[in-house]
C-alpha cells in the first residue's frame, strides 16, 4: 500500500522495521531476556508527582480557589493596597466566622463546668450503691469498678443530652478555624507566586510585589528582617500563656498539649521567615485577632451579651487577674 507525502508516493516500512527503528514498539522480551529499564526522563516525573501531589492538589483545590476569590474581591471592592486588603479580609473572616464560634465554645464549656457539682454528687452516690451491691452479690473489685464506670459514663451522657452541652460541640471552632487558616495561606501563596487559578494571576503577583508597607514593601518576598516572623511567634506564645494561666488543676495530657503548642509557636518563626510576606502578614493579623478574641471573651459584659452562663471560675476583674498571674509567673519569680 502506497501513501502520498510531499508529492511523492512512498511505501510504508514493514512492521518489523518499525519495531526495529522505534524501541517503544519493540516486542516485549520473553522469559530469560532482560527487560529494558525506564529512562530517567520517564521516572523523574512520576517521583515528582508522588512527592508533591498532595501539596499541589491542596493548592489547586476548590476551597483554596474560593479563598483566592475572596481576597481578590475584597481588594477590587475596597481599592486598598494589598497589605490593607489582607488585613481587612482577616479581620472580617475572624469577626464573622471564628468569633461567634468561639463564643459558642465558651457557652458549651460554661455549661459543662456548671454540671460538675451535680456529676460529683452523682458519682459519690453511685459509688456507695456499687459498694453495697458488690458486698451483696460478692463482686470482685474489678467487676465493681467496671460496673461503676459503665453506669457513670451512661449518666454523664444523659446529663450532656439533657443540657445540650456535649463537650465535642466545643471543638467546632477548631474544625472550622484550622481549615480556613490553611486555605487562606495557600491562596496567598498562589497569588504571591503567580500560581493563582485566576485570569489575573500574574498581574496580582506584580501588584503584591509593590503592595507592602514599611519594611516589607514586597509581599511576594520573605521578610529579611524577621520582624514579622518573630511577631507571629510572640503573639502565639502570649495566647498559649494566657490560656495556661487561667487553668487550675490541669491534667498531665493538658500539660503536654501546652508544651506542644509552645514548641509549635517557636518553630513557626523560622518557617515564617521562608515564605512570602503576604502569608506571614495574614498569620500575624490572624494571631492578633485570636489574642484579642481570647481577651474579649473574658470580659463579663461581653459574656453576658453572648448569654454565656456564669460559672464559679468567672472573675469580675479578669484582666487584672491575668496581669497579676503573668507578673507572678514570669516577672516577680526569683
Amino acid at each position: 500500500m502506497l501513501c502520498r507525502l510531499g508529492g511523492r508516493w512512498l511505501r510504508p516500512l514493514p512492521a518489523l522495521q518499525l519495531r526495529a527503528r522505534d524501541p517503544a514498539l519493540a516486542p516485549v522480551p520473553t522469559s530469560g531476556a532482560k527487560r529494558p529499564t525506564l529512562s530517567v526522563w520517564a521516572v523523574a516525573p512520576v517521583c515528582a508527582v508522588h512527592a508533591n501531589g498532595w501539596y499541589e492538589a491542596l493548592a489547586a483545590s476548590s476551597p483554596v480557589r474560593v479563598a483566592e476569590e475572596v481576597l481578590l474581591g475584597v481588594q477590587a471592592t475596597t481599592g486598598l493596597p494589598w497589605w490593607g486588603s489582607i488585613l481587612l479580609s482577616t479581620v472580617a473572616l475572624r469577626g464573622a466566622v471564628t468569633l461567634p464560634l468561639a463564643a459558642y465554645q465558651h457557652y458549651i464549656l460554661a455549661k459543662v463546668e456548671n454540671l460538675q457539682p451535680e456529676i460529683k454528687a452523682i458519682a459519690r452516690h453511685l459509688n456507695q450503691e456499687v459498694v453495697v451491691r458488690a458486698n451483696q452479690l460478692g463482686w470482685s473489685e474489678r467487676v465493681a469498678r467496671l460496673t461503676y464506670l459503665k453506669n457513670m459514663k451512661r449518666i454523664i451522657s444523659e446529663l450532656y443530652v439533657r443540657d445540650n452541652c456535649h463537650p465535642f460541640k466545643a471543638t467546632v471552632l477548631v474544625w472550622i478555624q484550622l481549615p480556613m487558616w490553611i486555605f487562606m495561606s495557600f491562596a496567598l501563596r498562589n497569588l504571591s507566586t503567580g500560581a493563582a487559578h485566576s485570569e489575573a494571576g500574574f498581574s496580582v503577583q506584580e501588584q503584591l510585589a509593590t503592595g507592602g508597607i514599611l519594611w516589607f514593601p514586597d509581599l511576594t518576598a520573605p521578610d529579611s528582617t524577621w520582624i514579622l516572623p518573630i511577631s507571629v511567634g510572640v503573639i502565639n506564645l502570649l495566647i498559649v500563656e494566657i490560656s495556661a494561666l487561667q487553668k487550675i488543676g490541669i491534667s498531665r495530657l493538658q500539660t503536654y498539649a501546652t508544651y506542644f503548642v509552645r514548641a509549635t509557636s517557636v518553630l513557626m518563626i523560622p518557617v515564617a521567615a521562608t515564605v512570602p510576606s503576604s502569608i506571614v502578614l495574614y498569620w500575624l493579623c490572624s494571631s492578633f485577632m485570636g489574642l484579642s478574641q481570647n481577651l474579649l471573651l473574658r470580659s463579663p459584659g461581653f459574656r453576658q451579651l453572648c448569654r454565656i452562663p456564669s460559672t464559679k471560675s468567672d472573675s469580675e476583674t479578669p484582666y487584672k487577674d491575668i496581669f497579676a498571674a503573668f507578673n507572678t509567673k514570669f516577672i516577680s519569680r526569683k
Side-chain angles (χ1 to χ4, degrees):
M1 180 179 178
L2 299 177
C3 60
R4 187 178 181 85
L5 179 63
R8 299 176 59 187
W9 290 94
L10 301 176
R11 184 180 300 275
L13 293 172
L16 290 177
Q17 293 182 25
L18 283 174
R19 292 192 181 99
R21 295 189 180 187
D22 190 351
L25 298 177
V28 179
T30 57
S31 59
K34 186 177 179 180
R35 290 176 176 268
T37 58
L38 289 173
S39 57
V40 175
W41 61 264
V43 177
V46 177
C47 298
V49 168
H50 283 291
N52 300 322
W54 68 269
Y55 185 88
E56 295 302 331
L58 180 58
S61 63
S62 297
V64 172
R65 294 187 183 186
V66 171
E68 291 172 10
E69 294 302 325
V70 168
L71 290 166
L72 292 170
V74 170
Q75 203 279 331
T77 302
T78 62
L80 292 170
W82 266 104
W83 68 267
S85 298
I86 293 172
L87 295 182
L88 179 60
S89 301
T90 308
V91 172
L93 286 174
R94 296 282 299 199
V97 179
T98 61
L99 180 58
L101 290 175
Y104 179 70
Q105 180 188 56
H106 280 250
Y107 173 82
I108 295 296
L109 293 177
K111 296 186 76 172
V112 171
E113 182 179 343
N114 289 336
L115 271 178
Q116 297 312 305
E118 184 177 356
I119 291 175
K120 290 179 180 179
I122 292 174
R124 287 194 299 268
H125 181 70
L126 179 62
N127 186 55
Q128 294 173 359
E129 287 188 353
V130 170
V131 169
V132 172
R133 293 291 285 179
N135 292 331
Q136 291 176 348
L137 301 176
W139 290 347
S140 65
E141 183 179 349
R142 179 176 178 276
V143 172
R145 179 172 179 77
L146 290 177
T147 302
Y148 168 80
L149 293 176
K150 179 180 178 181
N151 284 275
M152 198 65 212
K153 183 178 180 181
R154 175 183 56 81
I155 292 171
I156 291 176
S157 297
E158 291 174 353
L159 290 175
Y160 287 156
V161 172
R162 186 196 70 185
D163 289 5
N164 192 23
C165 62
H166 196 286
F168 183 77
K169 293 182 178 181
T171 66
V172 173
L173 174 63
V174 177
W175 299 117
I176 299 297
Q177 180 174 308
L178 183 58
M180 185 175 71
W181 184 86
I182 293 173
F183 297 148
M184 288 292 291
S185 298
F186 269 88
L188 285 167
R189 170 259 189 193
N190 290 344
L191 293 173
S192 300
T193 59
H197 297 275
S198 171
E199 295 179 358
F202 287 101
S203 63
V204 170
Q205 183 185 17
E206 294 171 0
Q207 293 173 14
L208 283 167
T210 57
I213 192 175
L214 300 176
W215 68 91
F216 53 100
D218 185 357
L219 291 175
T220 65
D223 180 12
S224 59
T225 66
W226 283 57
I227 295 177
L228 289 177
I230 293 175
S231 299
V232 171
V234 169
I235 292 180
N236 286 335
L237 284 173
L238 275 176
I239 296 173
V240 175
E241 297 306 327
I242 289 175
S243 299
L245 289 173
Q246 299 299 306
K247 294 178 181 178
I248 302 175
I250 61 176
S251 64
R252 181 176 298 180
L253 179 61
Q254 290 175 317
T255 301
Y256 290 153
T258 300
Y259 282 124
F260 174 77
V261 177
R262 283 174 180 156
T264 303
S265 300
V266 174
L267 290 175
M268 281 291 292
I269 296 176
V271 172
T274 62
V275 299
S277 297
S278 59
I279 300 176
V280 189
L281 180 62
Y282 165 69
W283 291 353
L284 177 61
C285 185
S286 180
S287 296
F288 182 79
M289 287 295 296
L291 177 62
S292 303
Q293 176 179 288
N294 193 314
L295 295 174
L296 181 62
L297 284 167
R298 298 183 187 279
S299 167
F302 188 77
R303 291 176 69 88
Q304 186 176 4
L305 179 65
C306 296
R307 298 184 179 181
I308 299 174
S310 58
T311 64
K312 188 177 180 180
S313 62
D314 285 350
S315 171
E316 293 296 327
T317 58
Y319 306 121
K320 185 183 293 185
D321 295 344
I322 291 174
F323 179 78
F326 191 87
N327 183 66
T328 301
K329 184 174 181 179
F330 297 105
I331 301 177
S332 301
R333 184 175 59 182
K334 295 183 180 179

